[in-house]
């Protein structure tokens, strides 16, 4: 029987970034002089920088815009125009960078687990990077405290990113289950994913649901997230929050559009004019 060759997912998704685009991307990550290599050290450094310098934000969804998952559109928005994005943009763009640097990367579709008996649709993109005989989960698109380093995909191994502990288990329904244990708390499930390789186009339907479906949480209130060494900074609705040590340590009500503009630039690096309103923003 003739064997059918597995597809090259990088080829399916499109052309690699140009050298100038990679340089612009690394500059955005504050890695101007960094020489990336295809190894775990580089993968770790890229993930850490991505979480610190490119925010999660849902402003386009709030304002009725349909998210484009075309690679050049994502690059222009995030890298060239000081914006962030939702997971499909952040992880889609990051997937493109990793492919362009020569990493063996495959994307999967994941389900978040917010409540014990609630089953959500697959509305998250995660990536698996193969390095030698090991495989690592890398993710820069979660809007709350989440893994800050690549995690080896192996059952039962407890791993730490210096803030929280993580482990994978297996489930007939969820596939790989990622668990998190924050300081002073019990283990909880974050999300699950099965290993059907996905290409960029496979995420359009879920992304459209986030932008347009009446049940989508992304069209109801502001959701921003960015990381620092010891904390996760978020905006939920009109509240700025600093989350560290497993709990919110500081909470501030944003009262005016001028305050919002200042906070967006100071903490999230977003330089766009916004007007504050109770159920979202206008710009």
């Amino acid at each position: 029987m003739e064997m059918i060759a597995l597809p090259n997912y990088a080829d399916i998704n499109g052309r690699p970034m140009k050298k100038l685009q990679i340089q612009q991307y690394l500059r955005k990550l504050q890695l101007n002089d960094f020489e990336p290599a295809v190894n775990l050290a580089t993968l770790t450094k890229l993930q850490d920088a991505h979480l610190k310098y490119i925010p999660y934000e849902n402003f386009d969804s709030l304002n009725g815009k349909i998210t484009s998952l075309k690679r050049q559109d994502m690059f222009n928005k995030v890298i060239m125009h000081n914006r962030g994005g939702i997971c499909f943009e952040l992880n889609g763009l990051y997937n493109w960078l990793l492919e362009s640097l020569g990493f063996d990367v495959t994307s999967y579709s994941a389900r978040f687990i917010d409540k014990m008996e609630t089953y959500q649709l697959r509305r998250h993109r995660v990536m698996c990077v193969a390095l030698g005989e090991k495989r690592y989960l890398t993710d820069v698109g979660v809007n709350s405290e989440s893994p800050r380093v690549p995690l080896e995909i192996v059952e039962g191994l407890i791993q730490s990113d210096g803030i929280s502990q993580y482990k994978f288990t297996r489930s007939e329904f969820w596939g790989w289950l990622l668990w998190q244990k924050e300081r002073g708390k019990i283990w909880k499930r974050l999300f699950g994913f099965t290993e059907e390789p996905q290409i960029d186009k496979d995420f359009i339907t879920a992304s459209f649901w986030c932008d347009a479906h009446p049940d989508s949480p992304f069209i109801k209130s502001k959701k921003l997230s960015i990381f620092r060494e010891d904390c996760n900074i978020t905006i939920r609705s009109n509240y700025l929050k600093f989350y560290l040590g497993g709990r919110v340590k500081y909470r501030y009500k944003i009262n005016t559009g001028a305050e919002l503009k200042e906070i967006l630039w100071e903490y999230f690096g977003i330089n766009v004019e916004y007007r504050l309103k109770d159920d979202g923003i206008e710009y």
Side-chain angles (χ1 to χ4, degrees), residues 127-153:
M127 288 154 292
C128 168
V129 173
L131 290 170
E133 298 299 316
K134 297 183 178 181
R135 298 185 306 144
Y136 295 87
L137 179 81
T138 185
D139 187 348
V140 296
V142 179
N143 70 337
S144 59
E145 186 61 51
S146 56
R148 296 163 177 257
V149 300
L151 299 175
E152 185 180 353
I153 304 175

Side-chain angles (χ1 to χ4, degrees), residues 22 95 108-109 149 171 189 215-216 230 272 280 283:
I22 293 175
N95 189 107
Y108 298 127
S109 185
V149 300
S171 163
R189 301 176 301 176
D215 291 339
S216 169
D230 61 345
V272 184
Y283 68 93

Side-chain angles (χ1 to χ4, degrees), residues 48 52 145-146 148 161-164 182-183 226-233 241-249 267:
D48 177 73
K52 290 176 179 175
E145 186 61 51
S146 56
R148 296 163 177 257
D161 65 358
I163 300 293
S164 302
E182 298 177 279
R183 294 171 186 170
I226 202 161
F227 288 70
R228 296 293 184 268
E229 290 294 339
D230 61 345
C231 71
N232 174 226
I233 304 173
K241 301 179 182 180
F242 287 71
Y243 186 87
L244 64 160
R247 64 189 182 92
V248 175
K249 290 289 184 71
Y267 293 107

Side-chain angles (χ1 to χ4, degrees), residues 42-58:
T42 289
L43 188 64
T44 301
K45 195 174 189 70
L46 290 174
Q47 180 170 331
D48 177 73
H50 217 289
L51 292 170
K52 290 176 179 175
Y53 296 110
I54 299 181
Y56 185 105
E57 53 104 334
N58 66 325

